[in-house]
Amino acid sequence: MSGTTTQRDEIVERLDARFQELRQQVPVLKQRADDEGITEIARREDMIPLLFPHTTYKSYPESLIAKGQWAQLNRWLDSLSAHRVEGVDVSDVVDVDGYIDALEAVGHLVSSSSGTSGKSSFLNKSVQDREVSMQNMLDCLTDLGIHRDNSWHVIPVGPETGLSGHNALRDLIYKEYGRPDGIERPSGAEASGHYAYMARLSAMRKAMADGTAAPDELATHEAASAARQAENERRLRHWAEQIIEHRTEKIFFNSQFPNLFRLTEILRELGMKEGDITGENAMTAGGGLKGMSLPADYQNQIFRMLNIDPSRFFHYYSMQELNIRLPKCASGRYHVPSELVLFVLDKNGDSLAPESDGKVEGRAAFFDTTVDGRWGGTITGDKISVELGDCSCGRTGPTVDADITRYSDLADDDKITCAGTTDAYVRGFLED
């Protein structure tokens, strides 16, 4: 990446400082550095062999979960963690939800993917990581001009997962933005068993794909899915009715696009038209479409129905491996904050992609200098295009184009050269 010599030196110094601090704390990092003969980060390129492929965090044998070998899963997680995990008591754990609860009880706030596309990943995060991430959310919203003045109705459209990370962010928005007489949340018990359900969903999809799904298993799965869908629909109808009642007042929506789009459909079913909702509403949305097919203009439909001006919409690029978000500016580009170091690598993740006319395209990789619970270097599955000059919005620094694709969705599969080596390191810690 281009930049002045001073800027480069400052970045390299930051990278080396984190490397020196964590190389003795994260077992897989130490083994990787020792094998590569890396004792310091003297230039940006030295960091590339030490960036962990995103697949690293799902490199455990699936049999550990299937057989309930939670102590072994602790050993796997410990090899990737900066704070020791092996002493965590998992004697009473019976499923993944219980496993994560046991870790969380002693300060390991494990983040896991939903597993909708297969095997779940597990990333160890500390209390500090969560605090940094939530403060970053508040800072980004403030920069956008959405002020914490407790003048908003808050609608976390859902669905509810019961996950502590989701609940913490939801409660933060309520605390900092919600008005005392705000719209009440739907009644009902707190959601639970999220990971167990997602594991069953993943297993059922595999069984259906290879033709081994038994009729009774399929019926049980379909009944559970229908119940969850019905509960989500009930919640959305509650929110829709409340929106209509408070349609001239400010509402802050915090959700994902599929649920927001379904919310607009329900509002239409209840007789609402674009322009009927007049409060100067705001919205933040994370995540993709979760495999759902929506109209090409789904975002515009949501904005028009809910009266969301683009200036009151916080959209960002991030992932569970990062504490920090890349906010999208008015020019439609994601800005790289100072806490993140961006690497644009070739497809295989071996080296920096070549720059041309102030632009570079390739595989996104990041080092998040705020990460505390593990090593902050990540090679993603995303193909990005980056502008290295100043943005037309007036801000300086590299920016990522909004058109981000996954290598797994392209004709070429998502293979990172060092992934097999890193996975072998982790397996080695299980076998020791």
Side-chain angles (χ1 to χ4, degrees):
M1 306 291 290
S2 64
T4 67
T5 301
T6 300
Q7 289 172 329
R8 285 177 180 269
D9 290 346
E10 289 177 353
I11 290 172
V12 169
E13 287 177 3
R14 290 163 61 200
L15 293 173
D16 186 56
R18 289 299 286 162
F19 172 63
Q20 300 302 337
E21 180 181 359
L22 289 175
R23 64 177 303 189
Q24 300 301 326
Q25 297 180 37
V26 182
V28 171
L29 173 64
K30 182 180 187 306
Q31 182 165 348
R32 179 68 172 164
D34 289 348
D35 286 357
E36 293 291 325
I38 299 174
T39 59
E40 67 172 334
I41 306 301
R43 55 186 190 134
R44 289 174 59 94
E45 288 83 350
D46 294 339
M47 181 61 75
I48 296 174
L50 304 179
L51 299 173
F52 290 177
H54 63 95
T55 55
T56 299
Y57 297 103
K58 56 177 69 176
S59 60
Y60 58 89
E62 290 186 88
S63 61
L64 298 187
I65 292 178
K67 297 178 180 179
Q69 296 175 321
W70 309 112
Q72 282 289 85
L73 195 59
N74 272 355
R75 293 189 67 186
W76 170 82
L77 186 63
D78 185 75
S79 73
L80 292 165
S81 300
H83 307 295
R84 302 283 61 85
V85 174
E86 285 193 313
V88 178
D89 182 8
V90 291
S91 57
D92 294 329
V93 172
V94 297
D95 58 21
V96 175
D97 295 276
Y99 176 66
I100 290 178
D101 288 345
L103 289 164
E104 184 159 315
V106 292
H108 299 289
L109 309 183
V110 173
S111 171
S112 176
S113 65
S114 65
T116 54
S117 59
K119 192 176 182 182
S120 293
S121 59
F122 296 102
L123 294 87
N124 201 357
K125 298 187 178 184
S126 66
V127 172
Q128 177 178 316
D129 286 322
R130 179 168 294 176
E131 291 173 346
V132 167
S133 181
M134 292 200 299
Q135 184 60 52
N136 175 250
M137 172 64 85
L138 294 177
D139 292 343
C140 288
L141 291 170
T142 299
D143 288 344
L144 188 64
I146 303 176
H147 299 293
R148 296 144 62 182
D149 55 9
N150 294 111
S151 65
W152 303 80
H153 292 290
V154 174
I155 295 187
V157 179
E160 289 284 334
T161 63
L163 303 182
S164 68
H166 293 180
N167 290 350
L169 182 57
R170 176 200 66 194
D171 294 345
L172 177 74
I173 299 298
Y174 270 111
K175 176 185 175 182
E176 301 292 342
Y177 293 91
R179 51 191 283 179
D181 61 343
I183 294 171
E184 292 186 2
R185 285 185 290 192
S187 60
E190 188 83 8
S192 62
H194 174 79
Y195 291 116
Y197 172 78
M198 297 310 299
R200 291 193 299 271
L201 175 61
S202 176
M204 181 54 61
R205 285 176 171 171
K206 289 181 179 179
M208 291 171 65
D210 59 25
T212 61
D216 58 337
E217 293 175 334
L218 184 59
T220 299
H221 166 70
E222 289 178 344
S225 297
R228 291 172 71 92
Q229 179 61 34
E231 172 60 16
N232 191 49
E233 188 78 0
R234 183 187 72 84
R235 291 174 53 80
L236 289 174
R237 288 194 174 274
H238 167 85
W239 293 128
E241 291 166 358
Q242 292 298 311
I243 291 168
I244 294 171
E245 184 175 339
H246 299 277
R247 59 183 177 274
T248 64
E249 301 167 18
K250 293 196 307 181
I251 302 174
F252 187 179
F253 297 90
N254 175 26
S255 185
Q256 296 176 335
F257 284 121
N259 268 297
L260 287 164
F261 186 76
R262 177 58 188 147
L263 179 63
T264 65
E265 291 181 323
I266 294 173
L267 285 167
R268 290 191 181 93
E269 293 168 8
L270 295 176
M272 298 298 287
K273 302 183 297 297
E274 292 178 4
D276 288 346
I277 298 169
T278 59
E280 294 184 353
N281 301 327
M283 183 174 75
T284 177
L289 298 183
K290 302 299 181 185
M292 294 188 64
S293 178
L294 298 181
D297 66 339
Y298 70 91
Q299 288 193 33
N300 286 333
Q301 289 193 43
I302 293 169
F303 292 161
R304 292 195 302 267
M305 175 59 79
L306 301 181
N307 195 33
I308 307 292
D309 186 271
S311 65
R312 300 190 300 273
F313 172 47
F314 175 46
H315 200 188
Y316 57 88
Y317 171 47
S318 192
M319 57 205 67
Q320 68 171 352
E321 289 87 352
L322 304 179
N323 290 338
I324 304 299
R325 299 159 181 83
L326 287 74
K328 182 185 279 188
C329 71
S331 298
R333 303 191 63 80
Y334 298 110
H335 284 256
V336 183
S338 61
E339 299 92 340
L340 296 182
V341 180
L342 170 65
F343 299 81
V344 184
L345 307 180
D346 62 8
K347 177 182 178 297
N348 293 328
D350 289 327
S351 59
L352 293 174
E355 300 177 13
S356 178
D357 297 325
K359 300 179 180 179
V360 58
E361 181 177 278
R363 184 182 291 273
F366 297 94
F367 191 88
D368 186 337
T369 60
T370 73
V371 170
D372 174 65
R374 62 196 185 286
W375 180 234
T378 300
I379 303 177
T380 78
D382 295 341
K383 182 178 182 181
I384 62 172
S385 297
V386 175
E387 294 272 0
L388 303 176
D390 296 343
C391 182
S392 59
C393 76
R395 296 172 60 186
T396 60
T399 56
V400 179
D401 187 82
D403 186 15
I404 299 170
T405 57
R406 292 187 180 274
Y407 276 101
S408 59
D409 293 335
L410 302 175
D412 297 330
D413 56 14
D414 182 13
K415 288 185 178 180
I416 303 173
T417 301
C418 63
T421 303
T422 307
D423 289 358
Y425 289 154
V426 179
R427 288 194 298 272
F429 284 101
L430 286 173
E431 295 165 359
D432 287 345

